[in-house]
Amino acid sequence: MSLFFEDVQIGARYTTSSHEITVAGIADFCRLTLDHHPLHTDAAYAKQAGFPGIIAHGLYGLSLMEGLKTELKLYEESSIASLGWNDVRFLHPIVAGDSVHVEMEFTAKRESSSRPAGIITEAVRLLRSDGKLLINSEHISLIRKAD
């Protein structure tokens, strides 16, 4: 399925599949971003800081949110560009062993003033399997109109 600007319905909601956060995945993000802070690499350090174990980077969670959304294939043929993320809030730590998923909802849309396309706004949330909200954000995208 690929949604074009005309297909986007304000209030439509989507939920992704679940993904398990692993120590190896956090380590991969450390290597990729060069952020090897001990909160992400040293369980004893993280526990001393009040966490149950190593935690994922907030930006790992945000990146994962985009990846999980991509698996929905909503914009396979219509995506032009991400215009940014607004009001990102890291509300609770993401811990190795957590199972997470994304819930998103279309909250606004408007015609682009610079090209024949549309700008859409999504409320995007990362939740743990028990329903705990981990990250809350807003994403803005530029997508094609149907031919």
Side-chain angles (χ1 to χ4, degrees):
M1 162 178 49
S2 195
L3 297 177
F4 291 85
F5 178 72
E6 297 85 351
D7 302 321
V8 171
Q9 298 295 317
I10 303 306
R13 295 174 182 220
Y14 298 86
T15 301
T16 70
S17 60
S18 295
H19 176 80
E20 184 174 346
I21 305 299
T22 64
V23 170
I26 294 169
D28 287 343
F29 197 82
C30 288
R31 282 189 292 280
L32 182 65
T33 62
L34 307 178
D35 180 350
H36 297 276
H37 190 279
L39 284 173
H40 313 303
T41 61
D42 183 336
Y45 181 92
K47 286 179 182 177
Q48 185 179 13
F51 300 104
I54 68 167
I55 60 171
H57 310 67
L59 291 176
Y60 172 39
L62 189 63
S63 297
L64 182 60
M65 290 166 71
E66 184 62 19
L68 288 170
K69 276 192 337 146
T70 299
E71 288 184 344
L72 293 172
K73 299 188 182 298
L74 296 178
Y75 313 114
E76 286 289 292
E77 300 169 22
S78 59
S79 179
I80 298 173
S82 171
L83 300 179
W85 292 81
N86 298 325
D87 302 320
V88 176
R89 295 293 175 263
F90 304 127
L91 302 171
H92 296 282
I94 303 168
V95 180
D98 282 350
S99 179
V100 300
H101 68 277
V102 168
E103 293 179 358
M104 64 160 282
E105 176 182 356
F106 292 117
T107 57
K109 68 186 253 188
R110 67 177 176 83
E111 304 264 340
S112 170
S113 60
S114 64
R115 60 169 70 188
I119 296 170
I120 58 169
T121 304
E122 309 158 341
V124 188
R125 297 171 289 279
L126 184 71
L127 295 103
R128 201 167 55 203
S129 59
D130 65 1
K132 173 80 82 177
L133 180 59
L134 303 174
I135 300 176
N136 197 31
S137 65
E138 177 181 82
H139 184 233
I140 314 296
S141 294
L142 182 67
I143 66 171
R144 288 181 170 76
K145 289 185 171 184
D147 292 332

